[in-house]
Amino acid sequence: VLGGGDGMAVREVLRHEGVEHIRLVDLDPRVTELFTTRPDLAALNADALNDPRVEIVNADAWAFLAEDDTLYDVIIADLPDPKSIAPSKLYSIEFYAMMAERLTGAGIFVTQAGSPTFAPGAFWTVEATLAATRNPQAPEGALGTLPYHVYVPSFGDWGFVLAAPLPPDPARDPVLPEGLRHLTPEVWRAAQAFGPDQGPREVEVNSIQGHPLVAEYQRGWDYWFR
């Protein structure tokens, strides 16, 4: 898990049987400390960061991936929005290329990608960047992607993108843990549908050479809130 120092993403991963080890990589040691040691904050993540299967690494996500040689079955990016160049590099084709090298052959990556309602250009830039990333399992090809979105009460309509060396199958129902209050196979299928005002559009691939994602993000949110 890249980012997610509050432990919320880790909490959800731990719902799944068969999870043996989670490595949480977050830049801010104070955040992970607070959500590990303060009872009121640890309660929000169900004490997930104190689970013996969880390893906390306080490091920059880019630097960590550049040095790490572990292969992962799943990589989850719970990173800040690309409001500026610093976070935008974590949504770049260069970053995704490093990430792809860290996936197992059947591994999968998922990232939050902003709102397809408020900043659709930014959302589809993330998808296009992943779809242009070299597939280490098939060097002549690119990663397969599956974009989806869901209404989050505290955020509004919010989007995510799955990417993998083996293209995700949109018709495959997910294997879900017990006790979920929202996600069902029907909700999952509906999450893959986009209205005409939210759907794919012509965008540039995000690179550290130009960062078009930042402009798309600012354009979208400025339209609604300035």
Side-chain angles (χ1 to χ4, degrees), residues 14 20-22 47-55:
L14 288 172
E20 298 177 357
H21 183 74
I22 301 171
D47 210 29
L49 299 187
N50 287 305
D51 190 289
R53 292 169 289 177
V54 177
E55 173 192 359

Side-chain angles (χ1 to χ4, degrees), residues 91-214:
Y91 296 82
S92 67
I93 195 168
E94 293 87 356
F95 181 75
Y96 291 150
M98 289 194 295
M99 175 277 301
E101 293 289 343
R102 302 274 63 80
L103 286 175
T104 61
I108 197 162
F109 169 76
V110 64
T111 182
Q112 77 92 0
S115 173
T117 295
F118 296 119
F123 175 82
W124 291 107
T125 296
V126 175
E127 190 278 334
T129 303
L130 281 164
T133 299
R134 176 182 172 275
N135 186 341
Q137 306 301 321
E140 299 302 317
L143 297 178
T145 62
L146 196 164
Y148 63 100
H149 63 129
V150 66
Y151 181 81
V152 180
S154 55
F155 286 84
D157 183 50
W158 213 257
F160 306 83
V161 182
L162 288 169
L166 297 177
D169 182 359
R172 178 183 176 184
D173 284 339
V175 178
L176 301 174
E178 295 182 1
L180 300 184
R181 295 182 295 172
H182 175 73
L183 186 60
T184 65
E186 293 77 16
V187 169
W188 168 240
R189 290 191 290 272
Q192 299 172 49
F194 291 84
D197 59 336
Q198 302 170 317
R201 58 206 60 207
E202 292 292 328
V203 291
E204 297 180 61
V205 168
N206 192 49
S207 167
I208 58 174
Q209 303 300 318
H211 294 284
L213 178 57
V214 176

Side-chain angles (χ1 to χ4, degrees), residues 61-82:
W62 182 293
F64 177 82
L65 278 186
E67 298 173 3
D68 187 34
D69 59 2
T70 307
L71 293 179
Y72 298 92
D73 297 309
V74 179
I75 299 177
I76 299 169
D78 186 9
L79 297 166
D81 287 355

